[in-house]
Amino acid sequence: MLNWHFAIYNTLNGLEDKLQIELQHVEDHDCESLVTLRIATMRESLERIGRFDPQRARDRFLDSFSADQTKHIVLNGARIGFVIVKQIDGDLLLDHLYIDPDHQSSGVGTWVLGHIFKQADGRGLPVRVGALKGSDSNRFYTRHGFRIVEEGEWDNYYVRIPHTPFNTSIKTSLSTSPSERG
């Protein structure tokens, strides 16, 4: 099993802590803990827009769950989140990125995006993501170079172009929204 890991240093109140971050493979039996984390991280945003329904959130996740496309986010040996990235039609789709609320704003999400961006840039692929309107994740994605390409009823859709020389096929595909691409 291949695990991606990285150490970052966090300085808080003059104390320096080494944070070990890893991406680890997920097994099918992990889906229960993942769906529980998804519901916990989305609850506040969904309640804010009057759309919190734990059964719907659970069903939507389980309908598309694939362990082989999912990685645990592990911080100092503890599972604190997960990420799902899929390749679809010449793009990388960041389908899910959830980090336990107690570990958000610590640099872990930025590290995970950096890992995804390295893969995307190396292959010349754009990265797409959708974010619930009103969610703090919208600021997170725009701060990391995503630009909005479409606004749906409940979600905003973003793209980040690869940091490689452009070619016309990439420019063309970036100008279309998910609904225009079918």
Side-chain angles (χ1 to χ4, degrees):
M1 171 174 17
L2 177 62
N3 293 329
W4 294 95
H5 58 88
F6 184 73
I8 62 173
Y9 292 88
N10 182 27
T11 304
L12 182 63
N13 299 327
L15 301 174
E16 189 173 90
D17 297 318
K18 182 178 179 181
L19 304 177
Q20 185 75 30
I21 304 171
E22 297 180 278
L23 297 179
Q24 296 178 348
H25 291 283
V26 166
E27 302 295 330
D28 287 332
H29 62 83
D30 293 324
C31 71
E32 274 306 313
S33 63
L34 300 178
V35 76
T36 299
L37 177 63
R38 178 181 193 260
I39 291 169
T41 59
M42 291 190 67
R43 182 181 192 122
E44 182 181 331
S45 295
L46 288 168
E47 285 177 339
R48 195 175 318 134
I49 63 169
R51 300 268 305 164
F52 181 67
D53 178 346
Q55 189 60 49
R56 180 175 49 209
R58 175 184 182 71
D59 293 345
R60 286 186 69 197
F61 178 75
L62 294 176
D63 284 347
S64 65
F65 174 72
S66 173
D68 63 330
Q69 296 172 320
T70 308
K71 301 283 187 253
H72 289 290
I73 301 168
V74 179
L75 176 64
N76 295 337
R79 291 178 177 170
I80 62 156
F82 69 95
V83 61
I84 299 176
V85 178
K86 300 176 179 179
Q87 184 166 345
I88 299 176
D89 298 331
D91 298 341
L92 290 185
L93 172 64
L94 175 52
D95 202 23
H96 296 282
L97 172 56
Y98 296 109
I99 298 173
D100 183 289
D102 291 340
H103 293 91
Q104 292 177 5
S105 299
S106 66
V108 174
T110 297
W111 180 85
V112 172
L113 282 184
H115 177 75
I116 294 166
F117 293 167
K118 184 176 180 179
Q119 292 177 4
D121 292 349
R123 296 165 56 197
L125 299 175
V127 180
R128 294 188 181 272
V129 66
L132 183 68
K133 285 185 174 181
S135 167
D136 292 340
S137 63
N138 289 278
R139 282 192 317 276
F140 174 75
Y141 292 125
T142 57
R143 190 171 64 243
H144 288 89
F146 285 88
R147 65 179 176 89
I148 195 162
V149 292
E150 182 179 357
E151 292 185 36
E153 181 179 4
W154 304 108
D155 296 313
N156 292 322
Y157 298 95
Y158 297 90
V159 67
R160 178 202 176 261
I161 56 175
H163 291 181
T164 60
F166 287 106
N167 67 39
T168 31
S169 65
I170 291 176
K171 285 182 181 177
T172 301
S173 74
L174 291 178
S175 67
T176 58
S177 66
S179 61
E180 292 172 329
R181 290 183 289 133

